[in-house]
Amino acid sequence: MRARDGRADSYISLPLPAPLLSVPIPRLRVNSNLNSLWNHPLAMNPKSPLANLHPELIFLIASYLPLHCKPATLLSLALANRKLHDTVGLQCLYRSVVLRDADIALIFLQKIQIDNSLGTKIREIYISLTPDALSKCYSSIELFIQLVKAGALPLIHSLEIRQQSESRLSRLPFFPAGFINILLKKCPRLRALSVFGFLDYEEGQLKSSGLYDFALFRGFQKIGVANISPSVAGNKDLEYMFRNIPHLTSCIQYLHIDLQKSKRLFSVSAIFNLTFSRLTSLVLGGISIRMGDEHNLIRTEAMEFWRRHPHLERLELIDRLNKKTLFHDDTSVEILPNLKHLKCGFADALALANILHRLSTLSIIRSTNSQVPYLLRSVLPNGLPNLKSLEIHQTPGYYSAIPQFAKGVMWHEDENGIFHTGRPYLNGWNVTENFMHSIARGAPGVQELGLHGNPLSPKDITKITPALSTLQSLERLYYDGSLQAPESEGINLGAVPEFIQTARSLADSCPQLSMVTDMCMPILPYVSAMISRAEDGTVSTIIANMNGRGLQIGREHDAFLSNHCKWFSK
């Protein structure tokens, strides 16, 4: 499907074919005569910087590529010329393998089964299982288990396996009993393990696999256990896991534990009473302050924990049910001196106002009306000019339902910069009302912006475009839109042309904008509009495709970028 109006060409490309290592990658137009690839004048130019780089420098460059786009980027680089093909294609391409769905995973794992030498090239492997083909998900897991037992992946140091769906894959079995011991024996270099989204197919299966036996992971640098759901009887298994967390304190750098889908609620003290000597990244969900906990005691434990861990660079407190802060009001500027990336509720962000100027990325979940503008404009008169990425989950608050003591819910700033306090509209404020102009003034340097909450229609986007146009550095915009088909997890293709038109209007107003993503879908990938520009900066082409992922800045080490804020709207 194609549309023209004299300003730019617009294309719809749904869906894209999936490549072997990672989806998505740019579509390539290659002449049927493969020799023409090597005879391209630019590719063979001996003065090209890439053509003359020493292989070790190419390896170094490859190591700095963001993980979520590394396979696709290396694949494109390998097609540049014969020398880079020999260097990158044969030595770098298979080091980091990102398999984004069951189809790709099964094809690639079968290739390892056929060619044993391929498995020895892999150092890190990331597998995401989507609900497209349930039988292929089963087959992928079974084949992965076979390959591990056969010693076909002897040199991997990082493994992540996740399932996205909450329904169709809910009975997808996890690894068999004792598998973690086998994994560690067959992959002795393994130092990072993440498991997301699995349920107990049989009672105690997750525990019997060895997943909760953290004593096995001494020396590991990264452990992630998220969105897992043991059986009701399996809550004792989670208690076992918590008793084993102290085994991680000496070496762990990245710890991600999210138990929001478990049947039982755990006290955050299980973490806050410990000291992790090398911890730089902490993600917690489902184990925060709960009813019955002594809030002042827990908060005191938390403050002591923050003081003992000054090297934290990333902190995410993603418990959607917890509305109490884990920080003292007006927390000292000396707390968390190295923090660069923060995701938390509005109450915690408000308590941390004194240190927010150090952040590169900020994600605020659970905010009502204009609380985030209130933070950026009233609490922080100078705003956050150095912030590069801002993500906001906002819900309108009905006047009768708002706790009137909650800070910022009755506040707003008009377009003239005058602050007001008073009753919101009957249905509260959303991001189209007394909101975006304050965001643009308070965070003028953002390169990416995510807006979550009530779905935004094309008319809503048009309404906030004037404020967005003042964000001169804005490159990527993400929002919960209206592309999801009613009562379905599919896409309403009839709405895509209007989405492209909206993206084009945004691109004309925002000089640096290169991508617009509708994140309304419950699972990856999302629909994105990719914007190309001419040399003078005018929009030349817009292509809509199924390449959309989540926000990127600060996520360079993540294989799968998703919209985590969806959890907080359920």
Side-chain angles (χ1 to χ4, degrees), residues 160-161 174 193-198 206 210-214 217 222-230 238 241-242 245 248 254-260 283-287 318:
E160 177 177 327
I161 183 166
F174 190 57
L193 175 64
S194 296
V195 175
F196 298 149
F198 283 85
L206 291 172
L211 179 64
Y212 300 155
D213 194 354
F214 288 170
F217 304 137
K222 177 178 179 178
I223 288 292
V225 179
N227 295 339
I228 59 172
S229 296
L238 291 179
M241 182 188 75
F242 275 99
I245 290 179
L248 303 176
Y254 176 103
L255 182 61
H256 182 157
I257 298 181
D258 179 9
L259 304 178
Q260 294 184 77
V283 181
L284 294 179
I287 54 175
I318 55 176

Side-chain angles (χ1 to χ4, degrees), residues 28 38 50 53 58-59 61-62 65 70-89 92-93:
L28 302 174
W38 314 124
L50 287 176
L53 280 179
I58 296 177
F59 300 154
I61 293 172
L65 290 171
K70 181 184 288 189
T73 304
L74 291 176
L75 183 59
S76 299
L77 187 61
L79 294 175
N81 62 40
R82 199 178 295 273
K83 177 181 177 181
L84 286 174
H85 175 269
D86 293 342
T87 301
V88 175
C92 292
L93 189 58

Side-chain angles (χ1 to χ4, degrees), residues 252-411:
I252 203 75
Q253 298 177 22
Y254 176 103
L255 182 61
H256 182 157
I257 298 181
D258 179 9
L259 304 178
Q260 294 184 77
K261 294 184 179 179
S262 66
K263 302 293 191 301
R264 177 164 175 188
L265 310 176
F266 294 88
S267 173
V268 75
S269 296
I271 300 291
F272 285 171
N273 286 329
L274 302 175
T275 299
F276 300 86
S277 57
R278 302 179 62 186
L279 191 65
T280 60
S281 179
L282 178 64
V283 181
L284 294 179
I287 54 175
S288 296
I289 303 169
R290 298 295 186 175
M291 187 177 298
D293 289 336
E294 177 55 49
H295 178 221
N296 290 332
L297 176 61
I298 295 294
R299 188 163 61 173
T300 298
E301 291 178 354
M303 291 303 298
E304 290 301 318
F305 182 87
W306 310 133
R307 294 187 181 97
R308 295 197 307 272
H309 295 85
H311 301 298
L312 272 174
E313 298 175 7
R314 172 180 299 281
L315 177 61
E316 299 187 16
L317 303 172
I318 55 176
D319 190 341
R320 65 183 179 184
L321 297 178
N322 172 36
K323 297 183 179 180
K324 293 187 177 181
T325 178
L326 292 173
F327 298 88
H328 288 152
D329 295 341
D330 298 321
T331 295
S332 169
V333 70
E334 298 176 356
I335 287 290
L336 301 175
N338 292 294
L339 192 66
K340 298 297 181 185
H341 311 288
L342 175 65
K343 175 178 284 190
C344 63
F346 172 77
D348 282 319
L350 183 64
L352 290 172
N354 289 333
I355 72 169
L356 296 184
H357 64 279
R358 296 199 288 260
L359 299 180
S360 297
T361 71
L362 175 61
S363 178
I364 297 181
I365 57 180
R366 299 188 308 272
S367 72
T368 302
N369 292 342
S370 294
Q371 283 188 315
V372 176
Y374 166 76
L375 173 65
L376 295 177
R377 297 287 290 152
S378 181
V379 178
L380 300 171
N382 296 324
L384 297 175
N386 298 320
L387 195 69
K388 302 302 180 187
S389 175
L390 177 61
E391 187 175 31
I392 303 168
H393 181 272
Q394 186 265 8
T395 55
Y398 296 88
Y399 177 72
S400 60
I402 296 175
Q404 297 188 29
F405 57 84
K407 294 183 178 180
V409 296
M410 313 289 285
W411 180 98

Side-chain angles (χ1 to χ4, degrees), residues 157-179:
H157 58 69
S158 299
L159 169 64
E160 177 177 327
I161 183 166
R162 63 169 64 204
Q163 65 151 317
Q164 290 193 51
S165 174
E166 298 179 2
S167 54
R168 293 182 62 187
L169 293 186
S170 61
R171 295 182 64 81
L172 185 65
F174 190 57
F175 299 135
F179 178 76

Side-chain angles (χ1 to χ4, degrees), residues 178-196:
F179 178 76
I180 296 298
N181 273 298
I182 297 173
L183 177 68
L184 297 178
K185 181 179 179 180
K186 297 293 185 177
C187 307
R189 298 189 182 187
L190 194 66
R191 291 297 179 270
L193 175 64
S194 296
V195 175
F196 298 149

